[in-house]
Amino acid sequence: MRDIMGMMGKVKEMQSKMEKVQEEISALEVEGRAGGGLVTVILNGKGEMRGLKIDPSLFKEDEVEILEDLIVAAHKDAKEKGEAQAQEKMAGLTAGLPLPPGMKLPF
């Protein structure tokens, strides 16, 4: 019976830590860049876009497609950085847990 109580205590402790880590991840702000910094996208930890900076030199009629591609690339860069940071924070929380390969928390 003590094992179950100990396990329940650890579950509550982990739940509390998980909530704290999720709050930290939500508060992240990540910048993604493309075109050598001509386009910068700022995302929060939830992947929501919070800002977009575009170098004025890209505002040419014949370069619309390039600008569109750079925005997509900068967004992808920011999203990958945010996911990497979130995974790093979660790795500390899940260290020692026997999770199957490829399983991510939170579910």
Side-chain angles (χ1 to χ4, degrees), residues 33-78:
R33 298 173 189 268
L38 293 174
V39 175
T40 302
V41 170
I42 302 163
L43 301 180
N44 68 11
K46 294 179 181 178
E48 298 166 340
M49 189 182 297
R50 292 293 181 208
L52 173 66
K53 296 176 186 171
I54 302 171
D55 189 280
S57 67
L58 293 172
F59 292 114
K60 297 178 183 167
E61 218 175 292
D62 58 335
E63 295 185 8
V64 171
E65 286 182 33
I66 294 170
L67 177 57
E68 291 169 347
D69 290 344
L70 289 174
I71 291 170
V72 170
H75 184 275
K76 182 178 185 274
D77 182 46

